């Protein structure tokens, strides 16, 4: 794996995740209480033996840069690194990234080194666990120019993905973006028996979706980008490669979620808090790495916690009820507060005496006040929610919109970072 370099694309605006991306890039959005989205692809690389990793960034990247700098350090003998490549003005160009392929084109010199044979391209906002060594083996066994990870899905799901058409050897011969009609689905149908014969139970799934995980021969990638002006991998580079190159599929049938919307982000976090999560975060042989924060254990005084995950450094007072929720770092939850079906991201710091003196009179302290009720909501970091506050989407309310300082997306109430809600405030 020493001859593999990985490029992780993390430069998009993340508009569908607003307001969580108002002050941070999408890969920097907190996940599962103590991680960030970017920790997933980096951990997959490290667990697969790939330790030459470039992260391409562009928007709101300060917190992401800080997280990478404070987290990923390799010993000098491994020659490993996680290096940030930010959009910048150079002698070759002054534009920002115009798309995923354009972002890679602007940094080709970093992979044009004599000891790099393969380039793995990943997204910075997907939740999954994959051994890339197996994908490289598929690529080498097929003598492919490009290999793409494919996920079996049913016809209904296929309407939201790019779908591949294969031959019997697993070579990709066609690609259709978001097929909508029965005729279009028939064109890209994969025989369920073909999947079953390769150890994957089809279970009625007849389509193979592109996961946006690409493995290129280095020279193939350089040739495709230097001789064209393609801007996007999914819409342009991949279809062009199918026509002129050997593109192979690598079958994957594990948990995979594209964290592209508030609804997907919300559900993925709640799934992680389930008794039997579809994506376990406690696998000893494939851990998820993140920044060690050296926080104290969480303190719980007479609270009821059911089907939830609670991160380090929290304080949960007597009578509080937490059900089917995720509680992030340094979260303070007052007496008799109720948290249901919600994601609390916690706080970046503790409110010590010195910080408390800087808070204007009448402003609640950091955390959730006594007697407050939060249901089906995402509360971003450093929010100050007073006593007896109610945050709950009213029956019949529109699934998208704004209500004072709060934002509604996909039927989820989002409390933006740093929001202050006084005592008694109600939705």
């Amino acid at each position: 794996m020493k001859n593999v370099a990985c490029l992780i694309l993390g430069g998009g605006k993340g508009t569908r995740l607003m307001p969580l991306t108002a002050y941070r890039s999408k890969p920097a959005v907190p996940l599962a209480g103590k991680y960030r989205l970017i920790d997933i692809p980096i951990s997959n690389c490290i667990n697969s033996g790939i330790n030459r990793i470039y992260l391409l960034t562009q928007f709101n990247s300060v917190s992401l840069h800080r997280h990478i700098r404070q987290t990923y350090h390799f010993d000098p003998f491994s020659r490993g690194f996680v290096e940030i490549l930010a959009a910048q003005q150079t002698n070759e160009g002054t534009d920002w990234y115009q798309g995923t392929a354009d972002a890679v084109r602007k940094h080709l010199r970093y992979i044009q080194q004599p000891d790099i044979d393969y380039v793995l391209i990943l997204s910075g906002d997907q939740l999954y666990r994959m051994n890339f060594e197996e994908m490289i083996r598929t690529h080498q066994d097929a003598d492919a120019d490009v290999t793409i990870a494919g996920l079996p899905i049913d016809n209904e799901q296929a309407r939201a993905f790019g779908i591949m058409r294969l031959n019997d050897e697993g070579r990709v011969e066609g690609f259709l973006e978001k097929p909508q009609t029965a005729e279009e689905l028939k064109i890209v149908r994969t025989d369920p028996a073909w999947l079953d014969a390769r150890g994957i139970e089809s279970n009625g799934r007849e389509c193979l979706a592109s996961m946006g995980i690409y493995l290129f021969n280095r020279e193939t990638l350089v040739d495709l980008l230097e001789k064209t002006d393609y801007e996007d991998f999914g819409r342009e580079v991949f279809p062009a490669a199918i026509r002129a190159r050997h593109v192979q599929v690598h079958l994957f049938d594990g948990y995979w979620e594209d964290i592209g919307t508030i609804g997907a982000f919300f559900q993925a976090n709640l799934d992680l808090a389930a008794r039997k999560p579809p994506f376990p975060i406690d696998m000893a042989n494939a851990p998820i790495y993140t920044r060690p924060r050296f926080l104290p254990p969480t303190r719980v005084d007479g609270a009821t916690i059911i089907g939830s995950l609670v991160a380090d450094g929290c304080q949960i007072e007597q009578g509080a009820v937490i059900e089917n929720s995720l509680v992030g770092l340094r979260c303070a939850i007052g007496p008799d507060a109720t948290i249901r079906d919600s994601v609390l991201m916690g706080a970046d710091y503790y409110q010590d005496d010195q910080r408390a003196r800087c808070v204007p009179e009448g402003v609640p302290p950091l955390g959730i006040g006594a007697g407050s009720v939060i249901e089906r909501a995402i509360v971003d970091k450093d929010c100050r929610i007073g006593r007896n506050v109610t945050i709950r989407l009213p029956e019949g309310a529109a699934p998208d919109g704004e209500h004072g300082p709060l934002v509604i997306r996909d039927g989820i109430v989002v409390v933006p970072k740093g929001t202050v809600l006084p005592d008694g405030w109600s939705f």
Side-chain angles (χ1 to χ4, degrees), residues 206-279:
E206 299 181 341
C207 295
L208 271 179
S210 165
M211 298 169 62
I213 299 173
Y214 309 98
L215 178 68
F216 287 85
N217 290 342
R218 193 270 304 272
E219 295 306 323
T220 298
L221 177 61
V222 171
D223 190 55
L224 284 169
L225 294 182
E226 283 190 337
K227 295 182 178 179
T228 69
D229 57 357
Y230 295 145
E231 295 181 347
D232 186 83
F233 276 103
R235 291 194 305 269
E236 297 171 301
V237 175
F238 179 45
I242 293 173
R243 294 190 295 268
R245 310 280 179 158
H246 180 170
V247 179
Q248 189 74 15
V249 71
H250 174 70
L251 296 175
F252 177 81
D253 195 29
Y255 178 90
W256 178 84
E257 184 64 55
D258 184 1
I259 311 292
T261 64
I262 290 293
F265 172 82
F266 177 79
Q267 191 58 52
N269 275 276
L270 292 194
D271 287 345
L272 293 173
R275 184 180 298 273
K276 293 184 178 180
F279 179 82

Side-chain angles (χ1 to χ4, degrees), residues 107-128:
H107 297 291
L108 281 178
R109 63 185 180 277
Y110 292 99
I111 63 172
Q112 289 179 300
Q113 302 175 35
D115 57 345
I116 294 177
D117 297 319
Y118 305 106
V119 180
L120 180 66
I121 296 179
L122 308 176
S123 172
D125 56 1
Q126 296 175 346
L127 180 58
Y128 64 103

Side-chain angles (χ1 to χ4, degrees), residues 161-235:
F161 292 93
I163 306 301
M164 297 175 283
R165 176 170 56 84
L166 314 177
N167 67 12
D168 289 340
E169 285 72 45
R171 180 168 178 168
V172 182
E173 295 185 331
F175 181 80
L176 188 58
E177 185 72 26
K178 298 180 180 179
Q180 300 297 314
T181 66
E183 290 75 15
E184 289 178 331
L185 289 167
K186 186 177 180 179
I187 294 173
V188 291
R189 178 182 180 272
T190 295
D191 186 353
W194 188 87
L195 294 172
D196 294 330
R198 282 150 183 82
I200 293 180
E201 295 183 10
S202 56
N203 295 325
R205 296 175 295 178
E206 299 181 341
C207 295
L208 271 179
S210 165
M211 298 169 62
I213 299 173
Y214 309 98
L215 178 68
F216 287 85
N217 290 342
R218 193 270 304 272
E219 295 306 323
T220 298
L221 177 61
V222 171
D223 190 55
L224 284 169
L225 294 182
E226 283 190 337
K227 295 182 178 179
T228 69
D229 57 357
Y230 295 145
E231 295 181 347
D232 186 83
F233 276 103
R235 291 194 305 269

Side-chain angles (χ1 to χ4, degrees), residues 40-337:
I40 302 302
I42 293 179
S43 296
N44 280 327
C45 285
I46 294 172
N47 293 329
S48 302
I50 299 172
N51 63 2
R52 303 170 74 177
I53 304 166
Y54 293 101
L55 173 59
L56 279 58
T57 67
Q58 182 164 247
F59 296 100
N60 286 337
S61 57
V62 172
S63 64
L64 178 61
H65 288 204
R66 184 187 305 120
H67 176 72
I68 297 298
R69 187 176 63 251
Q70 295 176 337
T71 306
Y72 297 101
H73 304 280
F74 296 84
D75 70 79
F77 303 104
S78 71
R79 299 176 61 201
F81 56 81
V82 179
E83 188 167 318
I84 294 168
L85 302 178
Q88 58 185 330
Q89 292 189 359
T90 66
N91 292 329
E92 290 77 30
T94 59
D95 296 332
W96 280 32
Y97 303 147
Q98 303 304 305
T100 55
D102 182 64
V104 174
R105 181 184 294 109
K106 284 181 167 61
H107 297 291
L108 281 178
R109 63 185 180 277
Y110 292 99
I111 63 172
Q112 289 179 300
Q113 302 175 35
D115 57 345
I116 294 177
D117 297 319
Y118 305 106
V119 180
L120 180 66
I121 296 179
L122 308 176
S123 172
D125 56 1
Q126 296 175 346
L127 180 58
Y128 64 103
R129 183 179 277 110
M130 181 184 290
N131 185 345
F132 297 126
E133 191 171 3
E134 296 175 358
M135 185 174 183
I136 291 172
R137 192 177 303 119
T138 297
H139 182 84
Q140 293 173 335
D141 290 346
D143 194 23
D145 298 308
V146 185
T147 295
I148 182 168
L151 180 74
I153 59 176
D154 59 37
N155 288 351
E156 189 61 36
Q157 293 173 303
R159 291 177 167 84
F161 292 93
I163 306 301
M164 297 175 283
R165 176 170 56 84
L166 314 177
N167 67 12
D168 289 340
E169 285 72 45
R171 180 168 178 168
V172 182
E173 295 185 331
F175 181 80
L176 188 58
E177 185 72 26
K178 298 180 180 179
Q180 300 297 314
T181 66
E183 290 75 15
E184 289 178 331
L185 289 167
K186 186 177 180 179
I187 294 173
V188 291
R189 178 182 180 272
T190 295
D191 186 353
W194 188 87
L195 294 172
D196 294 330
R198 282 150 183 82
I200 293 180
E201 295 183 10
S202 56
N203 295 325
R205 296 175 295 178
E206 299 181 341
C207 295
L208 271 179
S210 165
M211 298 169 62
I213 299 173
Y214 309 98
L215 178 68
F216 287 85
N217 290 342
R218 193 270 304 272
E219 295 306 323
T220 298
L221 177 61
V222 171
D223 190 55
L224 284 169
L225 294 182
E226 283 190 337
K227 295 182 178 179
T228 69
D229 57 357
Y230 295 145
E231 295 181 347
D232 186 83
F233 276 103
R235 291 194 305 269
E236 297 171 301
V237 175
F238 179 45
I242 293 173
R243 294 190 295 268
R245 310 280 179 158
H246 180 170
V247 179
Q248 189 74 15
V249 71
H250 174 70
L251 296 175
F252 177 81
D253 195 29
Y255 178 90
W256 178 84
E257 184 64 55
D258 184 1
I259 311 292
T261 64
I262 290 293
F265 172 82
F266 177 79
Q267 191 58 52
N269 275 276
L270 292 194
D271 287 345
L272 293 173
R275 184 180 298 273
K276 293 184 178 180
F279 179 82
I281 57 177
D282 55 355
M283 292 182 63
N285 62 341
I288 301 173
Y289 299 98
T290 194
R291 177 164 68 93
R293 294 173 176 83
F294 310 108
L295 293 172
T298 285
R299 178 183 178 88
V300 181
D301 289 326
T304 300
I305 303 176
I306 302 171
S308 301
L309 290 180
V310 180
D312 300 340
C314 299
Q315 184 167 342
I316 304 175
E317 303 289 350
Q318 187 170 11
V321 176
I322 302 173
E323 296 181 5
N324 191 37
S325 296
L326 196 145
V327 180
L329 298 160
R330 305 183 190 87
C331 199
I333 299 178
D336 302 316

